[in-house]
Amino acid sequence: MAPSGPSKPNASLADLLNPKSTLSSWSTILHVAYLKRWTIVTLWLLLGIPLGLFLIFFDLPKTYVSQAYLRFPHVVGVDDQVMRDVALREKESIVRLFQSYNVLHRTIDDLGLKFRIRNANVFRHHVIESIGGSGYAPGLYTFKFGSERRLKVYAKPYGKNQKYLVYNDKVPNDNSVSFSGVTLRFKNGFADISQGFDLEMVFQGVEEALKTYRDRIEVSPLDQGPASVNYSVTLEDRDPVLVAEIVNRLTDNFMAVYTRTTQGQDRTVLAQLEKSLELAREKQKRADLRLDEFYRANPQAMYGPQGTGFSTAQASSNHAEISRNLERLEQTLSRKPASGAPEGEKLLWIDEALSLLSGQGVLRAEAMRTQLSNLESEKSRLSAIRTPTHPDYLALDRKMAGMIEPVEELARQTRESYRVKVRDTEATVRRNPSAGGGGLALQMEARRLHSEKDEASQQVQNLEMQFERARLTSEGDLFAVTIIDRARPALHEELGLRERVVMASGAGVVTLFPGFLWVVALQLLFPRVYNRDDANKKFGIKVLGSLFAMPGGKSRDRKGKNIDPQLLYHGSAYRITDVEAFRALRVELESYFRADGHHLGLMVTSTQPNEGKSLVSANLAISFARKGCRTLLIDADFRHGRLENMFGLRPEKGLVDILRKGDIPQHEVLSIAAAQHIVRTPQSNLYLLSKGNLDEYSEEAFYGQAMENLMRRLQADFDVVLVDTAPVIVTADPVKLAEWMRGVVYVIRSGQPSASEISKGLERFTDRNVPIGCVINDIRKSPTDDNHYARYGYYYAKIPHGGSGVTKQLHKAE
């Protein structure tokens, strides 16, 4: 029984792109990458080499950033009349002041920023000690160092095309050089080691230097707290050390200018706040007196409806709370240690007093607690590196214990304030009984006087808080700006040659990936068949053999006959590994297509021309003949058949001529005339029926009964019949011929036809349930292939195929 054909493959684009069925395996993708290695190498040369050279010689990184952080306080006055919130309300003014002529020009002059080095990887702190001047012409200046400390300086001012020699002499012992209004001092010893070195510097004008740095300075607020706002000052520059110096000098100059603009304002604001507080207290006293006089003149009004339950309860609650605070504060003051008490006892009392005052809402107590906490942190740090008897440790203890007097003074001031508030709340409670009487006019007047007193009391309380906050914010200087963190040099370590080579090598490796991804995309979007795995995954077809690329050679001449160089045993490119590959294919064909005791008739075709089907047919026929089978090789590719040329034969007639003579009986022996068209080949047991002379009649005769009878007759007379026919995608001949054969050998050249074209070609046979087996031809050798014969070729090379004796007998008896 002949084997059943494979299931019909689905050649739709969706299935071809389905990874579960048609995506090439990784081994195939690596195989394709190896085949296209020169394309990938070319892509790598275009990308990797330039990138590697760029990383080796380019100055990385190009610029560096340095930052300083400043703290600006809130300054608040009364009723917005003297309010100065420099932290946010004057943000634009602060930015303009940083970029002002006074601040920025002073910084440029202090650091000589009008002179900029152009050399890559050369920074000012490497070369120059100091530089300054004002009478120079802006432009490009080139310093050429020669032997024996000789220096030439060339100037090329802006707008000029010619260089001028402005200095030509030895560098003095003090390393100072003066030319064109510039005084430049080199680092000590720099002139001694700089022979052959050229230093380029750009000298800028004032306005150009101002614009250069004004555009790169960024001043912005970071976060807003209850008493201040933090600002950052950022600058970007190519010199990692100089950029920090610029930021620090810039902030120092800003603070100097800003202090002059705010000098004396803190005293003015504090004086106004204190004056406003005194006026508010006098206003409160007058309101109290008016209310007392009203009740003395109208005692019946004390029992009017103004004495509501809510106001009475509120006054009682305030009185009780202030009384409790006063009592606790007096208890704390009574436990104050004596002046000769141990410092540890003093610290405990200080902590207790500040905790109490802070919990009662005293702002100065909170500030003192912060100061004490900082001292305790410093003490903890010293305890790790100093003994308790060390002078620094003892001095810190004394400083902490010395806070007892300021804390006591704050507690006494708070106690006096509580006593005043207790008297006020007692009067309020007395004036707000739970019931009463009086006329409507008296009740309204009492309410007005109470409201006036409450407003005056609230204003006094608000002003006291503002005055206390203003005093604590800057410890006497309300407008003082503090530096939280000064700018530091950017982290910079110049890359050595080793690091740059490593980076360049990494870049070279990374640039190989685009080529590899290109191969993967190629197999995804335009899949092709390269090996056995590809055919099995994409079409589900039986792959009978893998034939690897055979070497070329010169035509071999035997008695005037030119033999194809790739013919087994007969050609000049003969290899024993190719013999083993075709022998394996022969075994698979016999097992797959042939039942025991039956002759074998196979048709060989392909998808496209130039896939090697004729060479596969010829060498497969030779392999059957070498086994001892009477083999007939038929050339049914009427248009481009070349089997006769491969064997160096020139028959006058062939298959077409037999068909032209008419009907051929199905059950009779071939006529002598027909048999004469079958010729012997140089290989014993192998016969060839060439294509013959094609005409219009014979093309149609191919589809007639005579052709069917001939094929059946030949298969009965020979052990093996191999028919080499045209590609299936260009003609219908193979489809018709397959009906009369036991099976089809479908040749696919590795990497040539697309998967969709192969699928369409296979459909023409699978639709008719024709048994079909696949052969992958001309596989290019790669590290991932399964070319076992080529891989172990050294084993076969031990038996010289051109020898004599036993070797010849082995080849002859295969």
Side-chain angles (χ1 to χ4, degrees):
M1 292 293 294
S4 61
S7 60
K8 176 181 176 180
N10 189 345
S12 66
L13 179 62
D15 285 344
L16 287 175
L17 298 181
N18 181 6
K20 294 183 179 180
S21 60
T22 62
L23 178 65
S24 298
S25 62
W26 283 110
S27 62
T28 302
I29 291 176
L30 293 175
H31 178 88
V32 178
Y34 179 79
L35 298 182
K36 299 183 180 298
R37 60 188 181 278
W38 295 117
T39 303
I40 297 176
V41 168
T42 302
L43 183 64
W44 175 73
L45 291 175
L46 293 175
L47 296 178
I49 300 302
L51 181 59
L53 294 175
F54 174 81
L55 293 177
I56 289 177
F57 296 106
F58 188 66
D59 180 23
L60 295 175
K62 190 66 175 178
T63 57
Y64 304 89
V65 176
S66 189
Q67 287 181 313
Y69 299 95
L70 307 180
R71 176 166 293 166
F72 290 79
H74 292 290
V75 180
V76 183
V78 182
D79 298 331
D80 288 340
Q81 295 178 2
V82 291
M83 177 176 287
R84 288 293 305 277
D85 192 349
V86 298
L88 287 179
R89 291 197 175 190
E90 297 188 2
K91 172 191 171 184
E92 295 182 359
S93 299
I94 292 173
V95 174
R96 284 198 302 269
L97 188 57
F98 262 105
Q99 299 179 347
S100 66
Y101 184 88
N102 290 337
V103 174
L104 194 54
H105 186 263
R106 178 185 294 184
T107 305
I108 291 174
D109 278 346
D110 291 346
L111 299 178
L113 300 181
K114 290 178 286 189
F115 311 98
R116 180 166 52 88
I117 297 177
R118 285 186 53 180
N119 298 60
N121 296 324
V122 177
F123 303 128
R124 181 174 296 200
H125 68 282
H126 292 157
V127 179
I128 298 173
E129 188 72 35
S130 63
I131 187 170
S134 57
Y136 59 88
L140 176 64
Y141 286 71
T142 304
F143 299 78
K144 294 183 176 291
F145 293 88
S147 59
E148 298 180 353
R149 297 173 62 91
R150 181 163 293 277
L151 173 65
K152 292 182 179 181
V153 182
Y154 294 90
K156 183 181 178 183
Y158 293 143
K160 303 292 184 180
N161 296 325
Q162 185 177 358
K163 291 184 178 180
Y164 302 95
L165 182 65
V166 295
Y167 184 89
N168 185 10
D169 201 353
K170 289 185 177 180
V171 178
N173 293 331
D174 62 353
N175 298 311
S176 296
V177 176
S178 298
F179 57 89
S180 302
V182 176
T183 300
L184 188 148
R185 182 184 180 90
F186 292 105
K187 288 284 188 180
N188 188 25
F190 177 74
D192 299 322
I193 61 173
S194 301
Q195 180 177 351
F197 176 70
D198 291 351
L199 178 67
E200 289 188 348
M201 294 185 65
V202 175
F203 290 5
Q204 297 178 322
V206 176
E207 293 301 325
E208 184 181 6
L210 285 172
K211 186 178 185 305
T212 298
Y213 287 94
R214 185 176 289 133
D215 295 342
R216 289 193 277 121
I217 294 173
E218 183 178 353
V219 182
S220 57
L222 297 178
D223 52 354
Q224 180 181 11
S228 64
V229 170
N230 298 330
Y231 271 70
S232 70
V233 183
T234 306
L235 179 68
E236 182 177 312
D237 194 85
R238 63 180 298 272
D239 191 327
V241 176
L242 185 61
V243 65
E245 295 181 8
I246 296 173
V247 173
N248 289 328
R249 187 62 60 90
L250 182 70
T251 53
D252 291 339
N253 291 334
F254 166 81
M255 292 176 66
V257 174
Y258 182 76
T259 301
R260 288 202 306 269
T261 62
T262 60
Q263 188 173 8
Q265 290 189 16
D266 55 339
R267 291 188 294 272
T268 302
V269 171
L270 283 174
Q272 291 181 356
L273 282 173
E274 189 172 11
K275 183 178 180 180
S276 299
L277 182 57
E278 291 176 357
L279 293 175
R281 285 172 177 170
E282 291 178 1
K283 183 179 178 181
Q284 182 185 22
K285 289 180 181 179
R286 288 195 298 269
D288 287 341
L289 289 175
R290 284 195 296 270
L291 189 60
D292 290 340
E293 291 175 358
F294 171 77
Y295 282 123
R296 280 196 299 268
N298 305 283
Q300 70 275 17
M302 294 184 62
Y303 304 99
Q306 71 272 13
T308 61
F310 173 77
S311 58
T312 303
Q314 185 178 16
S316 300
S317 176
N318 292 338
H319 175 71
E321 182 179 358
I322 296 173
S323 299
R324 285 195 301 271
N325 290 342
L326 178 60
E327 182 181 359
R328 293 176 62 188
L329 189 57
E330 288 179 342
Q331 291 176 357
T332 301
L333 284 172
S334 65
R335 292 196 300 269
K336 178 200 170 188
S339 58
E343 294 178 351
E345 186 178 346
K346 293 180 180 180
L347 290 177
L348 289 176
W349 184 86
I350 290 172
D351 188 64
E352 177 187 354
L354 291 178
S355 298
L356 176 63
L357 293 171
S358 177
Q360 294 176 356
V362 180
L363 294 177
R364 289 182 62 188
E366 188 65 32
M368 289 183 175
R369 286 190 69 185
T370 302
Q371 183 180 358
L372 181 63
S373 177
N374 293 335
L375 292 175
E376 289 176 347
S377 299
E378 180 66 16
K379 182 179 179 181
S380 176
R381 187 187 67 82
L382 284 178
S383 65
I385 58 176
R386 297 284 189 270
T387 61
T389 58
H390 193 275
D392 293 344
Y393 196 91
L394 297 177
L396 195 59
D397 277 344
R398 288 193 297 271
K399 187 174 181 180
M400 294 172 66
M403 292 181 64
I404 190 170
E405 298 302 331
V407 172
E408 182 187 13
E409 179 63 23
L410 178 62
R412 292 184 184 279
Q413 292 176 2
T414 305
R415 182 179 63 181
E416 295 302 320
S417 175
Y418 283 165
R419 287 173 177 175
V420 173
K421 291 180 180 180
V422 165
R423 290 194 297 269
D424 292 341
T425 54
E426 284 178 350
T428 302
V429 171
R430 287 197 304 269
R431 293 166 186 167
N432 288 277
S434 58
L440 179 61
L442 293 178
Q443 294 176 12
M444 293 180 62
E445 180 64 15
R447 291 178 181 177
R448 185 186 68 80
L449 292 174
H450 274 286
S451 176
E452 183 179 315
K453 175 190 176 294
D454 292 341
E455 290 178 0
S457 299
Q458 185 64 40
Q459 187 176 15
V460 170
Q461 185 178 0
N462 292 340
L463 285 173
E464 286 178 346
M465 293 180 60
Q466 292 176 7
F467 183 70
E468 194 71 20
R469 179 189 297 175
R471 287 174 52 187
L472 294 175
T473 298
S474 300
E475 297 182 354
D477 188 0
L478 301 180
F479 295 91
V481 178
T482 57
I483 299 178
I484 304 175
D485 190 9
R486 297 184 67 84
R488 287 165 287 189
L491 295 177
H492 170 70
E493 182 179 354
E494 296 181 20
L495 297 177
L497 179 61
R498 179 179 179 182
E499 289 80 7
R500 292 180 180 271
V501 169
V502 170
M503 291 175 60
S505 302
V509 172
V510 169
T511 50
L512 287 175
F513 284 97
F516 185 75
L517 293 178
W518 170 71
V519 171
V520 175
L522 203 64
Q523 281 301 94
L524 281 173
L525 301 178
F526 309 101
R528 295 181 183 274
V529 175
Y530 284 91
N531 51 29
R532 181 191 300 265
D533 292 339
D534 268 359
N536 285 332
K537 292 186 71 173
K538 289 179 171 64
F539 313 115
I541 192 172
K542 175 67 174 179
V543 179
L544 301 176
S546 298
L547 303 176
F548 287 78
M550 300 178 68
K554 296 182 179 180
S555 297
R556 187 170 180 178
D557 192 359
R558 282 191 176 184
K559 299 180 181 180
K561 299 178 180 179
N562 291 326
I563 303 297
D564 190 289
Q566 293 181 325
L567 281 181
L568 297 182
Y569 297 100
H570 302 282
S572 59
Y574 165 80
R575 294 184 309 184
I576 193 63
T577 53
D578 297 324
V579 172
E580 292 297 335
F582 276 98
R583 182 179 293 138
L585 176 59
R586 183 189 71 194
V587 173
E588 290 292 336
L589 289 173
E590 291 175 333
S591 174
Y592 188 67
F593 287 111
R594 186 175 184 180
D596 294 339
H598 292 275
H599 293 189
L600 181 61
L602 300 174
M603 182 193 73
V604 182
T605 187
S606 63
T607 307
Q608 301 175 353
N610 301 320
E611 292 197 56
K613 61 178 180 56
S614 297
L615 181 63
V616 172
S617 302
N619 282 330
L620 192 56
I622 292 175
S623 182
F624 275 109
R626 298 282 293 186
K627 182 184 177 183
C629 300
R630 294 183 68 252
T631 306
L632 175 62
L633 181 60
I634 302 175
D635 192 349
D637 188 355
F638 299 124
R639 299 160 188 81
H640 296 284
R642 67 184 192 95
L643 287 179
E644 56 190 41
N645 296 330
M646 294 176 65
F647 286 95
L649 302 175
R650 295 292 184 270
E652 296 181 358
K653 296 181 179 181
L655 177 60
V656 173
D657 300 285
I658 296 176
L659 298 177
R660 188 181 296 114
K661 293 182 179 181
D663 293 338
I664 299 175
Q666 182 176 1
H667 303 291
E668 296 182 5
V669 180
L670 289 175
S671 63
I672 297 176
Q676 289 177 349
H677 298 325
I678 299 175
V679 297
R680 291 179 177 273
T681 66
Q683 174 64 48
S684 59
N685 293 328
L686 178 59
Y687 302 88
L688 173 66
L689 178 58
S690 65
K691 65 181 185 300
N693 301 307
L694 181 65
D695 56 19
E696 183 178 355
Y697 169 78
S698 56
E699 287 187 5
E700 293 301 330
F702 183 85
Y703 294 89
Q705 186 64 39
M707 182 64 179
E708 179 181 358
N709 294 341
L710 178 61
M711 288 297 103
R712 298 190 186 282
R713 184 69 269 167
L714 291 175
Q715 291 182 63
D717 293 342
F718 288 89
D719 297 330
V720 178
V721 176
L722 296 176
V723 182
D724 179 24
T725 186
V728 69
I729 205 169
V730 297
T731 179
D733 294 356
V735 179
K736 184 63 177 176
L737 185 59
E739 298 177 0
W740 309 322
M741 310 301 294
R742 290 189 60 83
V744 174
V745 178
Y746 200 94
V747 178
I748 299 174
R749 187 166 192 164
S750 176
Q752 178 172 313
S754 66
S756 59
E757 290 175 331
I758 297 173
S759 181
K760 292 176 182 178
L762 291 172
E763 279 182 355
R764 307 186 70 176
F765 298 108
T766 55
D767 287 346
R768 296 166 173 80
N769 293 322
V770 175
I772 185 171
C774 182
V775 175
I776 310 299
N777 183 39
D778 200 33
I779 300 177
R780 300 293 172 179
K781 183 181 178 182
S782 77
T784 61
D785 59 36
D786 55 354
N787 186 3
H788 308 293
Y789 310 110
R791 188 175 301 169
Y792 300 104
Y794 69 90
Y795 177 79
Y796 303 102
K798 293 181 180 180
I799 305 178
H801 61 269
S804 58
V806 177
T807 302
K808 288 186 177 180
Q809 294 299 322
L810 287 172
H811 287 288
K812 191 172 183 180
E814 84 179 313

